[in-house]
Amino acid sequence: MNEPDHYRVLGVSPQAPRPEIQAAYRRRLRETHPDRGGDETEFHLVQGAWETLSHPGLRREYDLLRFGRRAARRYGKAAAKPSHRKVRGWNVAPAPEPRARSLSTEGALVAVPWHARLRRARPVHRPSVWTAAARSTAVAAIWAFCGLGYLGQALAADSWLFPALAIPVTIAIAMIVIVQTSRALRRRYDTAPHPPTGRLVLAFLFAAAVIWVAGLSTPWGWALGVYVLTGASLAWTVRRLRWTMALRRSVGGALRQFNAFGPAGTRPKADRPTGKLLREVLTNLPAARLFVALPAETGTRVPHAIVCGDRIALLCAPVGRDGADVDSVNLPEAVAALAAAVPDAHVQGWVLWPTLPETAREGETAAVHDVAVGQAGSDIGLWLAAGGAVYDLPVLQTLRMRLASIPGPRSDELTPVART
């Protein structure tokens, strides 16, 4: 964490109640006040510590970020995840239909808008629940078929030693796979489960050794090898299915209801040219979704971010409306920060100028563009459309979690936490 240790600044323990923290704050305030010969830097640290620890919600977020699981046990499991935060959603009004021209344009050269060149496609969710379910069902069917085939060949053998060894091995492998799969069904996955690489490598080596010892033409060797290999991957396919279903429940409903999202306390606001640009892109790209006041780095927010597929377009004005808004100066840093936070997405930034500057701006890179806001729709829309007409659920979930991590507004605040 970049924040200082507020408890050490006030000289209290992390388990101290609010009256003890208030008494320590008053004592430290008298010691560090500049009018009494104190250090001004320490005075500001004391003020910041009191602002965080005096508010229950801010203190809970601070404890969870600094102490992790220890704080989660004190506040409860539900507080360890930012899902208790509210993410506000709304629908951006679509652009009105253009009026029919009264004059005939037959034989004239008419400019074709950028969205007329797009191939309309129905948005598709990625990853797919059906694909994950089919994969899990296929692996389970192959595992059961190979297990029963190996056991049947063992029972049909002439020697009694082969069934005596095969039956315990089959039952032991089945019990291990069933226990791992039952654990996967009970656990909740907020991130994509990683494939069990080490387990699969060991299962592959065991299967290769069994097939080599039994002989390439022996059916029971292949049956046992495939039985072990599919059993090692069955639990992962179930975890993947659970994660995909959780994504559809948490993100899918919001996607169908709203096309724009922001943290609690936001006031969606944009000037007329920017609002026209946002409506144009969101209306003509069915899978596009708008994120308002998206946190980029510590203390900075992107005013508008449009997501379509695995592409994220960050939009900002040359000069931010608020001190925390990303502008033309720190947009490259915001693009790099979000690209690192969402490694599966392609992130680029656009500075929306009323009129383009005559000379190139310092810090302009391949991922940051200067465009005139009146003609920016075609550039941004075509770049986003290349990402596909899909809802990339992991990318959208990551961005929604970033919005949910913003603390809600205090009751004594008259202005919202994040303004756009």
Side-chain angles (χ1 to χ4, degrees), residues 271 274 277 301-305 313-321 325-332 334-335 349-354 361 368-371 373 380:
D271 51 34
T274 305
L277 167 65
R301 297 182 292 266
V302 180
H304 304 98
L314 308 183
L315 313 181
C316 71
V319 180
R321 301 168 64 95
D325 287 346
V326 172
D327 53 17
S328 59
V329 177
N330 53 6
L331 181 58
V335 170
W350 277 267
V351 181
L352 306 177
W353 295 83
R361 183 174 50 86
V368 178
H369 314 277
D370 291 324
V371 292
V373 64
I380 299 173

Side-chain angles (χ1 to χ4, degrees), residues 45 74 93 98 107 164 168-169 212 254 258 278 294 324 336 364 375:
L45 289 177
R74 187 170 67 215
V169 170
W212 180 263
F258 304 107
L278 297 176
L294 182 66
E364 184 177 2
Q375 292 79 31

Side-chain angles (χ1 to χ4, degrees), residues 2 35 61 90 116 126 161 197 199 227 231 283 356 362 392:
N2 295 326
D35 295 341
E61 291 295 328
W90 64 90
R126 186 171 59 189
L161 183 60
T197 307
R199 192 181 304 166
Y227 178 64
T283 302
L356 282 175
E362 292 185 4
D392 198 314

Side-chain angles (χ1 to χ4, degrees), residues 265-286:
T266 53
R267 291 174 55 189
K269 187 183 298 183
D271 51 34
R272 184 171 298 177
T274 305
K276 180 181 177 182
L277 167 65
L278 297 176
R279 287 193 299 269
E280 178 183 355
V281 175
L282 293 176
T283 302
N284 295 287
L285 294 179

